[in-house]
Amino acid sequence: MRHNRAVNHLGRQSGHRKAMLANMASSLILKKRITTTEAKAKALKPYLEPLVTKSKEDTTHSRRVVFSYLKDKEATAELFRTIAPKVADRPGGYLRILHTGFRQGDAAEMVLVEFVDFNEAALASGKKEAKKTTRRSRAKKAEAAPAEEAPAAEAPAAEAPAAEAPAAE
């Protein structure tokens, strides 16, 4: 039984595990997206997210603390230069884990780990959804003016084809 065992050792001794997590974190910082197993990704998330939080404050001390974990000068510079300004307003949850399927050889669950603010496709689709209007707001306007039932009934019918035309383009 695993009572009171919080750390997943990943089948490695502590030195190997720390080196592997540092290498994975450096690769993720430099490439913004990596593919790995689910167990390693779940171990990487609590390892890297405090470092990203630490990088929001650009001081010599925070740079030295982050470098002591990453052991990679380029990754540390990238974290402070490009990632920290982009996630400055986010209170946490900097990484996303997406399941991609099973590995061919041993059927291990494979995942894609990426920074949330660096996925351009998801950011672009999120902006388009915010511009849509709902029918509920128009229905309230129609209910507010019951004396003008005939023009209110014709207004949504006239607006509906106009709203569908830009969507078809």
Side-chain angles (χ1 to χ4, degrees), residues 53-84:
T53 302
K54 179 73 77 176
S55 72
K56 289 181 179 182
E57 183 182 354
D58 192 3
T59 62
T60 304
H61 177 66
S62 62
R63 282 183 177 266
R64 287 178 178 170
V65 168
V66 169
F67 180 75
S68 72
Y69 280 90
L70 294 179
K71 300 169 184 60
D72 187 358
K73 201 180 291 187
E74 290 82 20
T76 305
E78 179 76 10
L79 179 63
F80 280 88
R81 190 180 316 121
T82 62
I83 295 174

PDB file of all heavy atoms in Angstrom, residues 53-84:
ATOM      1  N   THR A  53       6.424  30.561 -11.401  1.00  0.00           N
ATOM      2  CA  THR A  53       5.970  31.573 -10.454  1.00  0.00           C
ATOM      3  C   THR A  53       7.147  32.383  -9.924  1.00  0.00           C
ATOM      4  O   THR A  53       7.069  33.606  -9.787  1.00  0.00           O
ATOM      5  CB  THR A  53       5.224  30.901  -9.288  1.00  0.00           C
ATOM      6  OG1 THR A  53       4.135  30.150  -9.811  1.00  0.00           O
ATOM      7  CG2 THR A  53       4.705  31.925  -8.304  1.00  0.00           C
ATOM      8  N   LYS A  54       8.249  31.710  -9.638  1.00  0.00           N
ATOM      9  CA  LYS A  54       9.449  32.390  -9.148  1.00  0.00           C
ATOM     10  C   LYS A  54      10.005  33.328 -10.214  1.00  0.00           C
ATOM     11  O   LYS A  54      10.560  34.379  -9.896  1.00  0.00           O
ATOM     12  CB  LYS A  54      10.487  31.341  -8.757  1.00  0.00           C
ATOM     13  CG  LYS A  54      11.791  31.862  -8.252  1.00  0.00           C
ATOM     14  CD  LYS A  54      11.711  32.439  -6.878  1.00  0.00           C
ATOM     15  CE  LYS A  54      11.663  31.374  -5.819  1.00  0.00           C
ATOM     16  NZ  LYS A  54      11.692  31.989  -4.471  1.00  0.00           N
ATOM     17  N   SER A  55       9.848  32.985 -11.493  1.00  0.00           N
ATOM     18  CA  SER A  55      10.414  33.802 -12.567  1.00  0.00           C
ATOM     19  C   SER A  55       9.645  35.100 -12.801  1.00  0.00           C
ATOM     20  O   SER A  55      10.137  35.983 -13.499  1.00  0.00           O
ATOM     21  CB  SER A  55      10.468  33.003 -13.864  1.00  0.00           C
ATOM     22  OG  SER A  55       9.168  32.822 -14.380  1.00  0.00           O
ATOM     23  N   LYS A  56       8.463  35.234 -12.232  1.00  0.00           N
ATOM     24  CA  LYS A  56       7.707  36.475 -12.387  1.00  0.00           C
ATOM     25  C   LYS A  56       8.424  37.642 -11.725  1.00  0.00           C
ATOM     26  O   LYS A  56       8.277  38.783 -12.146  1.00  0.00           O
ATOM     27  CB  LYS A  56       6.311  36.320 -11.787  1.00  0.00           C
ATOM     28  CG  LYS A  56       5.398  35.426 -12.575  1.00  0.00           C
ATOM     29  CD  LYS A  56       4.059  35.377 -11.888  1.00  0.00           C
ATOM     30  CE  LYS A  56       3.071  34.527 -12.616  1.00  0.00           C
ATOM     31  NZ  LYS A  56       1.760  34.523 -11.947  1.00  0.00           N
ATOM     32  N   GLU A  57       9.180  37.349 -10.671  1.00  0.00           N
ATOM     33  CA  GLU A  57       9.958  38.379  -9.989  1.00  0.00           C
ATOM     34  C   GLU A  57      11.397  38.275 -10.490  1.00  0.00           C
ATOM     35  O   GLU A  57      12.119  37.345 -10.136  1.00  0.00           O
ATOM     36  CB  GLU A  57       9.891  38.155  -8.483  1.00  0.00           C
ATOM     37  CG  GLU A  57      10.607  39.204  -7.679  1.00  0.00           C
ATOM     38  CD  GLU A  57      10.543  38.910  -6.189  1.00  0.00           C
ATOM     39  OE1 GLU A  57       9.858  37.956  -5.792  1.00  0.00           O
ATOM     40  OE2 GLU A  57      11.203  39.630  -5.448  1.00  0.00           O
ATOM     41  N   ASP A  58      11.812  39.191 -11.330  1.00  0.00           N
ATOM     42  CA  ASP A  58      13.125  39.112 -11.969  1.00  0.00           C
ATOM     43  C   ASP A  58      14.188  39.752 -11.076  1.00  0.00           C
ATOM     44  O   ASP A  58      14.549  40.909 -11.235  1.00  0.00           O
ATOM     45  CB  ASP A  58      13.082  39.797 -13.331  1.00  0.00           C
ATOM     46  CG  ASP A  58      14.318  39.490 -14.160  1.00  0.00           C
ATOM     47  OD1 ASP A  58      15.161  38.702 -13.706  1.00  0.00           O
ATOM     48  OD2 ASP A  58      14.445  40.046 -15.262  1.00  0.00           O
ATOM     49  N   THR A  59      14.689  38.958 -10.135  1.00  0.00           N
ATOM     50  CA  THR A  59      15.774  39.410  -9.269  1.00  0.00           C
ATOM     51  C   THR A  59      16.931  38.424  -9.397  1.00  0.00           C
ATOM     52  O   THR A  59      16.761  37.313  -9.914  1.00  0.00           O
ATOM     53  CB  THR A  59      15.334  39.482  -7.803  1.00  0.00           C
ATOM     54  OG1 THR A  59      14.955  38.171  -7.367  1.00  0.00           O
ATOM     55  CG2 THR A  59      14.160  40.434  -7.623  1.00  0.00           C
ATOM     56  N   THR A  60      18.077  38.826  -8.913  1.00  0.00           N
ATOM     57  CA  THR A  60      19.242  37.945  -8.964  1.00  0.00           C
ATOM     58  C   THR A  60      18.997  36.683  -8.144  1.00  0.00           C
ATOM     59  O   THR A  60      19.349  35.575  -8.569  1.00  0.00           O
ATOM     60  CB  THR A  60      20.484  38.677  -8.425  1.00  0.00           C
ATOM     61  OG1 THR A  60      20.656  39.879  -9.176  1.00  0.00           O
ATOM     62  CG2 THR A  60      21.723  37.814  -8.550  1.00  0.00           C
ATOM     63  N   HIS A  61      18.365  36.839  -7.003  1.00  0.00           N
ATOM     64  CA  HIS A  61      18.099  35.681  -6.156  1.00  0.00           C
ATOM     65  C   HIS A  61      17.171  34.685  -6.844  1.00  0.00           C
ATOM     66  O   HIS A  61      17.437  33.472  -6.850  1.00  0.00           O
ATOM     67  CB  HIS A  61      17.487  36.128  -4.830  1.00  0.00           C
ATOM     68  CG  HIS A  61      17.115  34.992  -3.942  1.00  0.00           C
ATOM     69  ND1 HIS A  61      18.052  34.155  -3.386  1.00  0.00           N
ATOM     70  CD2 HIS A  61      15.914  34.533  -3.531  1.00  0.00           C
ATOM     71  CE1 HIS A  61      17.433  33.236  -2.659  1.00  0.00           C
ATOM     72  NE2 HIS A  61      16.134  33.446  -2.741  1.00  0.00           N
ATOM     73  N   SER A  62      16.076  35.185  -7.453  1.00  0.00           N
ATOM     74  CA  SER A  62      15.150  34.271  -8.119  1.00  0.00           C
ATOM     75  C   SER A  62      15.800  33.602  -9.323  1.00  0.00           C
ATOM     76  O   SER A  62      15.550  32.423  -9.596  1.00  0.00           O
ATOM     77  CB  SER A  62      13.867  34.992  -8.523  1.00  0.00           C
ATOM     78  OG  SER A  62      14.130  36.019  -9.431  1.00  0.00           O
ATOM     79  N   ARG A  63      16.666  34.315 -10.038  1.00  0.00           N
ATOM     80  CA  ARG A  63      17.390  33.691 -11.155  1.00  0.00           C
ATOM     81  C   ARG A  63      18.313  32.575 -10.666  1.00  0.00           C
ATOM     82  O   ARG A  63      18.412  31.527 -11.294  1.00  0.00           O
ATOM     83  CB  ARG A  63      18.209  34.730 -11.921  1.00  0.00           C
ATOM     84  CG  ARG A  63      17.377  35.574 -12.863  1.00  0.00           C
ATOM     85  CD  ARG A  63      18.252  36.535 -13.645  1.00  0.00           C
ATOM     86  NE  ARG A  63      17.473  37.283 -14.597  1.00  0.00           N
ATOM     87  CZ  ARG A  63      17.302  36.932 -15.873  1.00  0.00           C
ATOM     88  NH1 ARG A  63      17.885  35.856 -16.341  1.00  0.00           N
ATOM     89  NH2 ARG A  63      16.560  37.670 -16.673  1.00  0.00           N
ATOM     90  N   ARG A  64      18.981  32.800  -9.548  1.00  0.00           N
ATOM     91  CA  ARG A  64      19.883  31.770  -9.010  1.00  0.00           C
ATOM     92  C   ARG A  64      19.112  30.556  -8.511  1.00  0.00           C
ATOM     93  O   ARG A  64      19.551  29.419  -8.688  1.00  0.00           O
ATOM     94  CB  ARG A  64      20.738  32.363  -7.900  1.00  0.00           C
ATOM     95  CG  ARG A  64      21.809  33.281  -8.433  1.00  0.00           C
ATOM     96  CD  ARG A  64      22.623  33.892  -7.330  1.00  0.00           C
ATOM     97  NE  ARG A  64      23.682  34.726  -7.897  1.00  0.00           N
ATOM     98  CZ  ARG A  64      24.435  35.542  -7.189  1.00  0.00           C
ATOM     99  NH1 ARG A  64      24.256  35.666  -5.882  1.00  0.00           N
ATOM    100  NH2 ARG A  64      25.372  36.260  -7.777  1.00  0.00           N
ATOM    101  N   VAL A  65      17.955  30.782  -7.904  1.00  0.00           N
ATOM    102  CA  VAL A  65      17.141  29.666  -7.422  1.00  0.00           C
ATOM    103  C   VAL A  65      16.642  28.842  -8.608  1.00  0.00           C
ATOM    104  O   VAL A  65      16.716  27.606  -8.599  1.00  0.00           O
ATOM    105  CB  VAL A  65      15.963  30.185  -6.569  1.00  0.00           C
ATOM    106  CG1 VAL A  65      14.962  29.082  -6.306  1.00  0.00           C
ATOM    107  CG2 VAL A  65      16.475  30.766  -5.270  1.00  0.00           C
ATOM    108  N   VAL A  66      16.153  29.501  -9.647  1.00  0.00           N
ATOM    109  CA  VAL A  66      15.656  28.792 -10.827  1.00  0.00           C
ATOM    110  C   VAL A  66      16.795  28.048 -11.515  1.00  0.00           C
ATOM    111  O   VAL A  66      16.635  26.896 -11.932  1.00  0.00           O
ATOM    112  CB  VAL A  66      14.945  29.767 -11.791  1.00  0.00           C
ATOM    113  CG1 VAL A  66      14.654  29.116 -13.126  1.00  0.00           C
ATOM    114  CG2 VAL A  66      13.671  30.291 -11.163  1.00  0.00           C
ATOM    115  N   PHE A  67      17.956  28.673 -11.613  1.00  0.00           N
ATOM    116  CA  PHE A  67      19.100  28.017 -12.251  1.00  0.00           C
ATOM    117  C   PHE A  67      19.551  26.793 -11.450  1.00  0.00           C
ATOM    118  O   PHE A  67      19.988  25.797 -12.033  1.00  0.00           O
ATOM    119  CB  PHE A  67      20.267  28.991 -12.416  1.00  0.00           C
ATOM    120  CG  PHE A  67      21.467  28.372 -13.063  1.00  0.00           C
ATOM    121  CD1 PHE A  67      21.473  28.122 -14.426  1.00  0.00           C
ATOM    122  CD2 PHE A  67      22.579  28.014 -12.326  1.00  0.00           C
ATOM    123  CE1 PHE A  67      22.574  27.542 -15.041  1.00  0.00           C
ATOM    124  CE2 PHE A  67      23.679  27.441 -12.928  1.00  0.00           C
ATOM    125  CZ  PHE A  67      23.680  27.197 -14.281  1.00  0.00           C
ATOM    126  N   SER A  68      19.411  26.833 -10.129  1.00  0.00           N
ATOM    127  CA  SER A  68      19.813  25.678  -9.320  1.00  0.00           C
ATOM    128  C   SER A  68      18.924  24.469  -9.606  1.00  0.00           C
ATOM    129  O   SER A  68      19.353  23.328  -9.460  1.00  0.00           O
ATOM    130  CB  SER A  68      19.779  26.018  -7.831  1.00  0.00           C
ATOM    131  OG  SER A  68      18.451  26.135  -7.379  1.00  0.00           O
ATOM    132  N   TYR A  69      17.685  24.709 -10.034  1.00  0.00           N
ATOM    133  CA  TYR A  69      16.796  23.607 -10.398  1.00  0.00           C
ATOM    134  C   TYR A  69      16.997  23.169 -11.845  1.00  0.00           C
ATOM    135  O   TYR A  69      17.024  21.976 -12.144  1.00  0.00           O
ATOM    136  CB  TYR A  69      15.330  24.013 -10.203  1.00  0.00           C
ATOM    137  CG  TYR A  69      14.872  23.939  -8.782  1.00  0.00           C
ATOM    138  CD1 TYR A  69      14.988  25.039  -7.942  1.00  0.00           C
ATOM    139  CD2 TYR A  69      14.322  22.780  -8.261  1.00  0.00           C
ATOM    140  CE1 TYR A  69      14.561  24.985  -6.628  1.00  0.00           C
ATOM    141  CE2 TYR A  69      13.902  22.706  -6.958  1.00  0.00           C
ATOM    142  CZ  TYR A  69      14.025  23.816  -6.143  1.00  0.00           C
ATOM    143  OH  TYR A  69      13.608  23.747  -4.843  1.00  0.00           O
ATOM    144  N   LEU A  70      17.124  24.142 -12.762  1.00  0.00           N
ATOM    145  CA  LEU A  70      17.183  23.802 -14.180  1.00  0.00           C
ATOM    146  C   LEU A  70      18.570  23.381 -14.650  1.00  0.00           C
ATOM    147  O   LEU A  70      18.691  22.561 -15.547  1.00  0.00           O
ATOM    148  CB  LEU A  70      16.711  24.991 -15.025  1.00  0.00           C
ATOM    149  CG  LEU A  70      15.250  25.385 -14.885  1.00  0.00           C
ATOM    150  CD1 LEU A  70      14.952  26.584 -15.763  1.00  0.00           C
ATOM    151  CD2 LEU A  70      14.343  24.230 -15.232  1.00  0.00           C
ATOM    152  N   LYS A  71      19.610  23.997 -14.121  1.00  0.00           N
ATOM    153  CA  LYS A  71      20.993  23.708 -14.496  1.00  0.00           C
ATOM    154  C   LYS A  71      21.240  23.932 -15.989  1.00  0.00           C
ATOM    155  O   LYS A  71      22.021  23.228 -16.617  1.00  0.00           O
ATOM    156  CB  LYS A  71      21.385  22.279 -14.100  1.00  0.00           C
ATOM    157  CG  LYS A  71      21.279  22.033 -12.607  1.00  0.00           C
ATOM    158  CD  LYS A  71      21.404  20.577 -12.303  1.00  0.00           C
ATOM    159  CE  LYS A  71      21.202  20.296 -10.840  1.00  0.00           C
ATOM    160  NZ  LYS A  71      19.909  20.691 -10.326  1.00  0.00           N
ATOM    161  N   ASP A  72      20.543  24.923 -16.560  1.00  0.00           N
ATOM    162  CA  ASP A  72      20.682  25.236 -17.974  1.00  0.00           C
ATOM    163  C   ASP A  72      20.539  26.747 -18.140  1.00  0.00           C
ATOM    164  O   ASP A  72      19.483  27.321 -17.866  1.00  0.00           O
ATOM    165  CB  ASP A  72      19.606  24.508 -18.785  1.00  0.00           C
ATOM    166  CG  ASP A  72      19.795  24.664 -20.276  1.00  0.00           C
ATOM    167  OD1 ASP A  72      20.737  25.357 -20.702  1.00  0.00           O
ATOM    168  OD2 ASP A  72      18.980  24.089 -21.021  1.00  0.00           O
ATOM    169  N   LYS A  73      21.618  27.380 -18.587  1.00  0.00           N
ATOM    170  CA  LYS A  73      21.647  28.840 -18.680  1.00  0.00           C
ATOM    171  C   LYS A  73      20.666  29.369 -19.715  1.00  0.00           C
ATOM    172  O   LYS A  73      19.967  30.354 -19.490  1.00  0.00           O
ATOM    173  CB  LYS A  73      23.076  29.274 -19.031  1.00  0.00           C
ATOM    174  CG  LYS A  73      23.391  30.703 -18.674  1.00  0.00           C
ATOM    175  CD  LYS A  73      24.809  31.078 -19.043  1.00  0.00           C
ATOM    176  CE  LYS A  73      25.814  30.356 -18.172  1.00  0.00           C
ATOM    177  NZ  LYS A  73      27.199  30.842 -18.404  1.00  0.00           N
ATOM    178  N   GLU A  74      20.580  28.692 -20.871  1.00  0.00           N
ATOM    179  CA  GLU A  74      19.686  29.156 -21.924  1.00  0.00           C
ATOM    180  C   GLU A  74      18.217  29.030 -21.508  1.00  0.00           C
ATOM    181  O   GLU A  74      17.405  29.917 -21.786  1.00  0.00           O
ATOM    182  CB  GLU A  74      19.920  28.381 -23.228  1.00  0.00           C
ATOM    183  CG  GLU A  74      21.239  28.703 -23.902  1.00  0.00           C
ATOM    184  CD  GLU A  74      22.414  27.934 -23.294  1.00  0.00           C
ATOM    185  OE1 GLU A  74      22.175  26.909 -22.633  1.00  0.00           O
ATOM    186  OE2 GLU A  74      23.555  28.380 -23.462  1.00  0.00           O
ATOM    187  N   ALA A  75      17.888  27.924 -20.854  1.00  0.00           N
ATOM    188  CA  ALA A  75      16.503  27.727 -20.415  1.00  0.00           C
ATOM    189  C   ALA A  75      16.123  28.751 -19.348  1.00  0.00           C
ATOM    190  O   ALA A  75      15.005  29.278 -19.353  1.00  0.00           O
ATOM    191  CB  ALA A  75      16.311  26.312 -19.878  1.00  0.00           C
ATOM    192  N   THR A  76      17.041  29.054 -18.444  1.00  0.00           N
ATOM    193  CA  THR A  76      16.770  30.056 -17.418  1.00  0.00           C
ATOM    194  C   THR A  76      16.550  31.427 -18.052  1.00  0.00           C
ATOM    195  O   THR A  76      15.605  32.145 -17.690  1.00  0.00           O
ATOM    196  CB  THR A  76      17.930  30.123 -16.410  1.00  0.00           C
ATOM    197  OG1 THR A  76      18.151  28.820 -15.869  1.00  0.00           O
ATOM    198  CG2 THR A  76      17.635  31.091 -15.288  1.00  0.00           C
ATOM    199  N   ALA A  77      17.377  31.787 -19.011  1.00  0.00           N
ATOM    200  CA  ALA A  77      17.229  33.079 -19.694  1.00  0.00           C
ATOM    201  C   ALA A  77      15.906  33.130 -20.454  1.00  0.00           C
ATOM    202  O   ALA A  77      15.206  34.151 -20.432  1.00  0.00           O
ATOM    203  CB  ALA A  77      18.405  33.310 -20.633  1.00  0.00           C
ATOM    204  N   GLU A  78      15.539  32.054 -21.123  1.00  0.00           N
ATOM    205  CA  GLU A  78      14.283  31.998 -21.878  1.00  0.00           C
ATOM    206  C   GLU A  78      13.075  32.132 -20.943  1.00  0.00           C
ATOM    207  O   GLU A  78      12.097  32.814 -21.260  1.00  0.00           O
ATOM    208  CB  GLU A  78      14.208  30.682 -22.654  1.00  0.00           C
ATOM    209  CG  GLU A  78      12.950  30.496 -23.457  1.00  0.00           C
ATOM    210  CD  GLU A  78      12.929  31.303 -24.735  1.00  0.00           C
ATOM    211  OE1 GLU A  78      13.964  31.870 -25.125  1.00  0.00           O
ATOM    212  OE2 GLU A  78      11.842  31.382 -25.342  1.00  0.00           O
ATOM    213  N   LEU A  79      13.164  31.474 -19.792  1.00  0.00           N
ATOM    214  CA  LEU A  79      12.070  31.525 -18.826  1.00  0.00           C
ATOM    215  C   LEU A  79      11.841  32.948 -18.336  1.00  0.00           C
ATOM    216  O   LEU A  79      10.701  33.425 -18.279  1.00  0.00           O
ATOM    217  CB  LEU A  79      12.373  30.599 -17.645  1.00  0.00           C
ATOM    218  CG  LEU A  79      11.343  30.534 -16.527  1.00  0.00           C
ATOM    219  CD1 LEU A  79      10.024  29.995 -17.054  1.00  0.00           C
ATOM    220  CD2 LEU A  79      11.848  29.654 -15.403  1.00  0.00           C
ATOM    221  N   PHE A  80      12.913  33.654 -18.017  1.00  0.00           N
ATOM    222  CA  PHE A  80      12.776  35.010 -17.507  1.00  0.00           C
ATOM    223  C   PHE A  80      12.492  36.022 -18.620  1.00  0.00           C
ATOM    224  O   PHE A  80      11.830  37.027 -18.390  1.00  0.00           O
ATOM    225  CB  PHE A  80      14.035  35.424 -16.742  1.00  0.00           C
ATOM    226  CG  PHE A  80      14.076  34.891 -15.338  1.00  0.00           C
ATOM    227  CD1 PHE A  80      14.615  33.649 -15.073  1.00  0.00           C
ATOM    228  CD2 PHE A  80      13.566  35.630 -14.296  1.00  0.00           C
ATOM    229  CE1 PHE A  80      14.649  33.152 -13.785  1.00  0.00           C
ATOM    230  CE2 PHE A  80      13.597  35.147 -13.003  1.00  0.00           C
ATOM    231  CZ  PHE A  80      14.136  33.904 -12.744  1.00  0.00           C
ATOM    232  N   ARG A  81      12.988  35.766 -19.829  1.00  0.00           N
ATOM    233  CA  ARG A  81      12.867  36.734 -20.915  1.00  0.00           C
ATOM    234  C   ARG A  81      11.514  36.665 -21.616  1.00  0.00           C
ATOM    235  O   ARG A  81      10.902  37.698 -21.879  1.00  0.00           O
ATOM    236  CB  ARG A  81      13.985  36.509 -21.935  1.00  0.00           C
ATOM    237  CG  ARG A  81      14.090  37.613 -22.972  1.00  0.00           C
ATOM    238  CD  ARG A  81      15.208  37.396 -23.985  1.00  0.00           C
ATOM    239  NE  ARG A  81      16.443  36.957 -23.376  1.00  0.00           N
ATOM    240  CZ  ARG A  81      17.063  35.794 -23.674  1.00  0.00           C
ATOM    241  NH1 ARG A  81      16.554  34.967 -24.563  1.00  0.00           N
ATOM    242  NH2 ARG A  81      18.195  35.461 -23.080  1.00  0.00           N
ATOM    243  N   THR A  82      11.039  35.469 -21.965  1.00  0.00           N
ATOM    244  CA  THR A  82       9.829  35.383 -22.782  1.00  0.00           C
ATOM    245  C   THR A  82       8.620  34.801 -22.050  1.00  0.00           C
ATOM    246  O   THR A  82       7.498  35.260 -22.261  1.00  0.00           O
ATOM    247  CB  THR A  82      10.080  34.537 -24.042  1.00  0.00           C
ATOM    248  OG1 THR A  82      10.435  33.220 -23.645  1.00  0.00           O
ATOM    249  CG2 THR A  82      11.170  35.138 -24.886  1.00  0.00           C
ATOM    250  N   ILE A  83       8.824  33.808 -21.211  1.00  0.00           N
ATOM    251  CA  ILE A  83       7.686  33.137 -20.585  1.00  0.00           C
ATOM    252  C   ILE A  83       7.115  33.961 -19.440  1.00  0.00           C
ATOM    253  O   ILE A  83       5.904  34.142 -19.333  1.00  0.00           O
ATOM    254  CB  ILE A  83       8.076  31.719 -20.125  1.00  0.00           C
ATOM    255  CG1 ILE A  83       8.411  30.871 -21.349  1.00  0.00           C
ATOM    256  CG2 ILE A  83       6.975  31.085 -19.312  1.00  0.00           C
ATOM    257  CD1 ILE A  83       8.954  29.513 -21.045  1.00  0.00           C
ATOM    258  N   ALA A  84       7.988  34.480 -18.571  1.00  0.00           N
ATOM    259  CA  ALA A  84       7.517  35.216 -17.390  1.00  0.00           C
ATOM    260  C   ALA A  84       6.668  36.444 -17.751  1.00  0.00           C
ATOM    261  O   ALA A  84       5.611  36.649 -17.136  1.00  0.00           O
ATOM    262  CB  ALA A  84       8.695  35.616 -16.518  1.00  0.00           C
TER     263      ALA A  84
END
